Amino acid sequence: MGLVSIAVTFYSPPPFRPPVRTSDILAALDDPHAAGGPIIRDVRIARAPALPPARTDEYCDNSTAAALAQRLGLAADDVRLCTAEPLHQSSTTATVPRELRDHFSLAVRRDGVWQIARLPPQPIITRWHVTTFGWLLLAGLILFSACLFIVRSITRPLRQLAADARTAGIDGPAFRADPGAPAEVLQLGAAIAGMRRRQASLVTNRAELLVGIAHDLGTPLTRLAFRVEALPDASREAAQADIAEMQKLIAAALEFARGRERSIEPVALDMLLADRAQVLDRDAAPIRILHVEPSVVVANMVDLMRVIDNLIINAQRHGGSAELSLRRLGDTAVLTVRDHGPGIDPSAVSRVFDPLYRGNNENADQHIGVGIGLGLAIVQSTVESLGGSIAVANHAAGGALFSVKLPIVA
């Protein structure tokens, strides 16, 4: 800003025009080309056979004009001098002013022709204003560019950190900030990395505990399965059903707790959806495919199959049927599964995907089973691991509507 101020001070014209010497004006009347010099560069020289009327914003002083006519050896009516401000000179003591300021007009008649030197009023926007504005604009652009560079250098690693937080799980790669990132951003990245390590350790410990408990329960259940064989038929069938239900619970708990990554490959989601709908279709709980568009996603086939099966079985259990739809929206595949049941209690929407949450099972189809409350939790965990999202809402015409969004590759 100091350099800009110096440039404006020394290289721009002053805000007000300097006064013009009377002798220079008279010389310009004798030689009109002299009016192009730097001293009287704004003075306009003209010739006219008749004297034009004076401007309404100028004051014509006859006493000063007579003194100037006497100096030029002309009659008093051959000279007219009009200035922006009155000169206030008397006829006896009037003298020719050495300089004229602001705007003025001096007319001299020689040989019947009027020679008129006029300095028009200064415009509202002068060259000085334009130059000053140009320098200030340049300074503003320089400061704006510098501020933009500083802000981007700060926000770029923050955007990178936000992107990593959205796409990476607790066991994902650590945040890597640019070496030139501000120290505060580096500290934030290190704090988030530490938090992720603590969360990963906590989740791992709990998963290992759950896996150990489920594994240890398998041995006594196996012994019970052998012992119930000695029971009477009626008691044996009831006991075997209870044992099968407990084994199903243990298997689901193990699957949810492990959550390990599996190999992924391109999967035709539309073909897989049609196949699972055919396999799970039942007369008592029919499945209808309303609309399907070809979509290829990158996922593990077994995991994606489990997502579709859990959503369809959930719709059959609570709604008696399932309506499926698969559409493409840009680079996203949208899978919707709707049932025709009573819907979801609005107060329970936020807990639908919680592990071991079963909701209202009063209207559940007992032929399909009540469920143990891990199916939708597994669905959400699998979908999010694939970079997608899942949401649930009540359909306007009744029933629950699950929407799964997955990134597609073709």
Side-chain angles (χ1 to χ4, degrees), residues 195-399:
M195 179 184 65
R196 290 171 60 184
R197 287 193 298 269
R198 292 190 296 272
Q199 290 179 341
S201 177
L202 178 62
V203 171
T204 300
N205 292 337
R206 291 189 175 184
E208 291 177 351
L209 177 62
L210 184 58
V211 169
I213 295 174
H215 180 271
D216 293 341
L217 286 175
T219 301
L221 281 177
T222 303
R223 291 198 298 266
L224 285 175
F226 282 110
R227 292 176 181 176
V228 297
E229 294 295 332
L231 296 176
D233 292 343
S235 300
R236 184 174 65 250
E237 291 178 358
Q240 287 176 340
D242 290 339
I243 292 174
E245 188 69 21
M246 293 180 66
Q247 289 174 336
K248 185 188 299 183
L249 173 61
I250 293 173
L254 286 172
E255 178 185 351
F256 178 75
R258 286 167 181 165
R260 62 182 183 274
E261 294 185 357
R262 300 179 176 90
S263 60
I264 58 176
E265 59 184 348
V267 179
L269 182 58
D270 54 315
M271 299 179 63
L272 181 61
L273 181 65
D275 177 72
R276 300 314 300 169
Q278 183 178 3
V279 172
L280 299 175
D281 189 21
R282 300 171 55 247
D283 293 338
I287 300 174
R288 293 177 54 201
I289 298 180
L290 302 181
H291 182 83
V292 173
E293 297 180 1
S295 304
V296 177
V297 300
V298 176
N300 178 267
M301 174 73 76
V302 177
D303 289 344
L304 200 56
M305 184 186 306
R306 187 172 293 110
V307 168
I308 296 174
D309 289 357
N310 284 339
L311 290 175
I312 292 178
I313 293 173
N314 183 76
Q316 291 175 319
R317 177 182 295 123
H318 297 283
S321 63
E323 292 183 352
L324 311 180
S325 176
L326 178 61
R327 300 180 183 274
R328 294 171 59 118
L329 293 178
D331 57 353
T332 303
V334 181
L335 169 64
T336 59
V337 180
R338 179 198 170 192
D339 61 50
H340 291 272
I344 301 175
D345 185 358
S347 63
V349 170
S350 60
R351 295 182 289 135
V352 168
F353 300 104
D354 291 346
L356 304 179
Y357 176 77
R358 299 187 182 186
N360 184 8
N361 290 312
E362 295 179 358
N363 300 320
D365 190 341
Q366 301 301 323
H367 293 87
I368 298 178
V370 175
I372 61 176
L374 290 177
L376 293 179
I378 294 174
V379 168
Q380 184 186 47
S381 176
T382 303
V383 169
E384 291 181 350
S385 68
L386 298 176
S389 62
I390 183 171
V392 61
N394 288 320
H395 195 275

Side-chain angles (χ1 to χ4, degrees), residues 145-209:
S145 302
C147 293
L148 182 63
F149 174 78
I150 295 174
V151 170
R152 288 180 64 88
S153 65
I154 297 175
T155 58
R156 183 172 58 252
L158 289 178
R159 289 195 300 269
Q160 180 183 351
L161 179 61
D164 290 347
R166 286 192 300 267
T167 58
I170 58 176
D171 55 349
F175 170 68
R176 294 287 186 269
D178 295 335
E184 292 79 5
V185 176
L186 297 177
Q187 294 174 0
L188 177 61
I192 293 178
M195 179 184 65
R196 290 171 60 184
R197 287 193 298 269
R198 292 190 296 272
Q199 290 179 341
S201 177
L202 178 62
V203 171
T204 300
N205 292 337
R206 291 189 175 184
E208 291 177 351
L209 177 62

Side-chain angles (χ1 to χ4, degrees), residues 74-158:
L74 300 175
D77 57 354
D78 288 336
V79 177
R80 188 188 69 182
L81 176 62
C82 300
T83 57
E85 300 292 338
L87 298 178
H88 300 294
Q89 297 194 78
S90 63
S91 57
T92 57
T93 61
T95 58
V96 178
R98 296 182 56 187
E99 297 176 340
L100 296 176
R101 299 177 179 274
D102 296 331
H103 60 90
F104 63 87
S105 64
L106 174 60
V108 178
R109 181 169 57 184
R110 291 173 177 169
D111 299 330
V113 177
W114 285 94
Q115 297 174 316
I116 305 169
R118 182 185 299 276
L119 181 63
Q122 192 169 2
I124 298 176
I125 300 178
T126 64
R127 181 186 174 189
W128 184 87
H129 294 98
V130 175
T131 304
T132 304
F133 177 77
W135 279 109
L136 294 177
L137 180 62
L138 178 61
L141 291 176
I142 294 175
L143 291 177
F144 175 78
S145 302
C147 293
L148 182 63
F149 174 78
I150 295 174
V151 170
R152 288 180 64 88
S153 65
I154 297 175
T155 58
R156 183 172 58 252
L158 289 178

